[in-house]
Amino acid sequence: MSEILQEQSKYIALTSSIISAKARNNNTPIAMVRTYGCQQNVADSEKIKGILEKMGCEFTDEPDKADIIIYNTCAVREHAEDRVFGNVGALKNIKRKNPNLFIALCGCMMEQQHIADKIYKSFPFVNLVFGTHSIHKLPYLMYLSLNFKTRIVKIGDDDKLIHEGLPIKRDGTFKGWLPIMYGCDNFCTYCIVPYVRGRERSREPQIIFDEAKEMIQNGYKDITLLGQNVNSYGKNLNQDINFAKLLDTIANYEGDFWIRFMTSHPKDATKELIDTIAKNEKICNHIHLPFQSGSNRVLKAMNRNYTREKYLELVNYIREKIPDVSLTSDVIVGFPGETYEEFEETLSLIREVKFTSLFTFIYSPRVGTPAAKMDDPITYEEKARWMGELLKVQEEIAADRCASMVGKTYKVLVESEANTEGELSARNQENIVVEFEGDKNLIGQFVNVEITRARNWILKGKLLINE
Ligand code: SAH
Ligand code: SF4
Ligand code: F3S
């Protein structure tokens, strides 16, 4: 254990006695951790919950029942931040009813000084604000705040290190996240992530291998390797490793499991990576490959470092090697200065590639990014109209794709009950949802399903009994 973590275990014990003395329920403090944003934040929240569990906490989703509330926030778009401001505002009444309630805000949004300042001024009932680089210090920060009854803001703490060895309380029992790297060095001109998450840092391969093995042994069947740009894994390590080799090693472990990964940046996707996915059955036939725009001028202004032609070349290579691959993507509509003609190039790329699904975003200016200073003459209403057009094109493509799957058989991982009518909800390797009748004891297991019907982008199927 590192020195910092040893020090933190001392504060876990100290904080634990303070929070259990204040707890309303038999000395057992109840915590609520709410996560906004992407899987990186979900994985961070699992560490925060791991720390709280070590302090003796149990967990709830209901703010009224909680003694400790932590919101792990996202800064990627204005809408994400507005939701947090609204939800934090609503905590005022809950704190009035329970003055002992401890409220902390963390995550990407808090790593921005102007936001941390605003929270400190506007929400005096918030006890602690800490950034993405300070999670390992949570026990110390909670102790300081609780013991000295003081409000604390701890951001900008980047020592460029990865603090390994934090406890993890995973949300799922068969589907799990495995971060392989943190931060981002790409500085796409619209994006806040490099500012709030810091420089790209890869975890040591052996630590990742050990964690993967442990997850497989503990019954995890769907493991997603996480990073803002997994394709540049290992660049800072000075070892004979890259993302393709990392994937290949894990895919060769014994056991019945699938591996996914996100996110892949098109500029760093290599043939070695595609060949590795193609030859390993355990690596899902699904690549999330954000293209953002179909116009070369806009891609350049975004600092994406690839062209439309390069992207399409990559897609062709992927389809040649993995014919049944499912491609999904992120796309931004209305980047500053984008014209309707340039937006039409995005539409034509969508028609050409035929993505299984798309995450679509209207451009949102982020304080401190280069794009926020660019001329942006198109109104939001006009951008929303373009978005409507795009969604219509994509809906038809997704429906066609689902229809083409009818009659085929897939191995799927059963995730949950789909409804109260005895149907289960599962996903295939391509990450498409299939619903079918079956016993809920199958949740967490792989089964084979024949697709009988497609309803828009949800597939209905029939459970095949294994011989
Ligand atoms: N690292 C990933 C993306 C992380 S952010 C990648 O590079 O692919 C997830 C998505 O949010 C991005 O792909 C982008 O489409 C979108 N996004 C990021 N900043 C945005 C902004 N300022 N406005 C609108 N969408 C944005
Ligand atoms: Fe943001 Fe670009 Fe980094 Fe993705 S690669 S996190 S879009 S800066
Ligand atoms: Fe949001 Fe931070 Fe993820 S800004 S998208 S939670 S890396």
Side-chain angles (χ1 to χ4, degrees), residues 36-41 73-76 108-109 192-193 196-197 228:
Y36 302 79
C38 69
Q39 268 70 26
Q40 316 275 330
N41 260 15
T73 64
C74 168
V76 81
C108 298
M109 191 176 158
I192 196 73
V193 171
V196 295
R197 287 261 165 196
Q228 289 301 345

Side-chain angles (χ1 to χ4, degrees), residues 377-391:
I378 306 288
T379 62
Y380 187 86
E381 288 66 32
E382 181 65 3
K383 292 179 184 183
R385 212 182 53 72
W386 298 1
M387 176 62 95
E389 229 176 292
L390 186 156
L391 292 176

